[in-house]
Amino acid sequence: LHASKSRDKIASRTKWAEERGYGSSDESTSSGGGPKLIIAGAPASGKGTQCEIIKDKYGVVHLSTGDMLRAAVAAGTEVGKQAKDFMDSGKLVPDEVIIGVVKDRLDESDCVEKGWLLDGFPRTPAQAQALADAGVSADCFIFLNVPDDVLVERVVGRRTDPETGKIYHMTFSPPDDEEVLARLEQRSDDTEEKVKVRLEQFHANVEAVKGSYTDISVEVDGTQKPDEVCAVIMESIDKALA
């Protein structure tokens, strides 16, 4: 069910991008391979929407740690086996194993040829340092900056249609159909109390992570309309790759 909802979200974001002319492009960097990008932002900062647009525009491989861990476990790689041991015992996968998984994935041919977009990783300064120690460098670090009160409003107002997986917002994009409205559900972790905990965890590390990428960091006002946020991000990436 969770995977199905994720696919619905991705499909919705992709349709949004295509309708605005942000579809696939053969734009990429020259012989050195594709762009190497990192994007960071708090929950509900709009990161997912922008990731879809960046992926379609530049043809990069979109990577999240969750997807990479699951793929490494399924493939039975050495680091995947290590990760599986921790995951099966209900423990957090340690940084050194995660870095191994990420480094292996970035070394695969599609990432080398097309470039990559690391989504929400590194999350901590220790991970940023470990990534650097492993020889991984990026062209551009994008940070979506949205005030906490706006993030809380975005999260708390979210509702999901259990039949279609479509996500609505009670303030910004409520459904027109009364029948749909009546069956909407709120995720258990989309409460004000829980989102504030997630934001505290995010803020505890994000400044230090940003500090690791000062030379290539771009801060974008995430309170703007998605089109406007996208325009700033595209301009920043193009400058970084020039």
Side-chain angles (χ1 to χ4, degrees):
L1 182 62
H2 179 72
S4 175
K5 288 183 178 180
S6 295
R7 285 193 296 271
D8 288 332
K9 285 176 71 176
I10 290 169
S12 176
R13 290 164 179 162
T14 301
K15 182 181 178 184
W16 182 93
E18 288 172 348
E19 286 173 348
R20 287 156 178 78
Y22 299 127
S24 303
S25 168
D26 54 10
E27 245 183 84
S28 66
T29 53
S30 53
S31 56
K36 293 176 277 191
L37 311 169
I38 300 173
I39 188 167
S45 61
K47 189 159 56 69
T49 296
Q50 299 303 326
C51 281
E52 285 301 310
I53 296 170
I54 293 168
K55 181 184 73 172
D56 290 342
K57 168 78 172 174
Y58 296 96
V60 293
V61 181
H62 178 203
L63 302 169
S64 70
T65 46
D67 289 343
M68 285 185 279
L69 280 169
R70 285 186 287 273
V73 169
T77 64
E78 190 57 41
V79 287
K81 291 174 184 174
Q82 294 174 28
K84 186 175 188 300
D85 289 341
F86 287 100
M87 293 161 76
D88 286 349
S89 60
K91 296 177 182 175
L92 287 174
V93 180
D95 280 353
E96 58 266 27
V97 176
I98 293 177
I99 292 295
V101 169
V102 173
K103 184 70 167 63
D104 280 0
R105 184 66 186 89
L106 297 182
D107 285 341
E108 290 184 26
S109 59
D110 59 342
C111 288
V112 173
E113 293 165 10
K114 298 178 181 178
W116 41 262
L117 171 63
L118 280 176
D119 178 356
F121 186 87
R123 295 179 188 273
T124 67
Q127 289 176 347
Q129 185 58 53
L131 209 55
D133 292 344
V136 177
S137 61
D139 297 314
C140 188
F141 177 91
I142 303 150
F143 177 65
L144 294 179
N145 189 14
V146 181
D148 281 6
D149 59 333
V150 176
L151 293 169
V152 170
E153 183 183 15
R154 287 181 180 179
V155 171
V156 172
R158 285 195 304 213
R159 299 290 187 276
T160 304
D161 182 345
E163 291 190 14
T164 64
K166 184 173 180 180
I167 296 173
Y168 296 91
H169 194 283
M170 302 309 291
T171 302
F172 308 125
S173 57
D176 297 324
D177 190 320
E178 289 293 329
E179 189 177 331
V180 173
L181 182 65
R183 67 175 183 247
L184 293 183
E185 296 177 351
Q186 183 178 33
R187 270 175 41 176
S188 60
D189 58 347
D190 277 355
T191 63
E192 184 168 347
E193 295 75 21
K194 290 186 178 179
V195 74
K196 284 182 175 178
V197 170
R198 284 152 66 196
L199 288 174
E200 282 175 16
Q201 294 170 341
F202 174 78
H203 290 306
N205 290 299
V206 71
E207 288 303 322
V209 171
K210 284 164 61 180
S212 302
Y213 298 100
T214 306
D215 295 342
I216 60 167
S217 181
V218 177
E219 190 161 311
V220 182
D221 179 2
T223 63
Q224 302 175 95
K225 293 178 181 178
D227 286 340
E228 295 168 347
V229 173
C230 176
V232 176
I233 289 176
M234 296 296 175
E235 182 181 358
S236 302
I237 294 173
D238 289 343
K239 281 183 180 177
L241 299 176

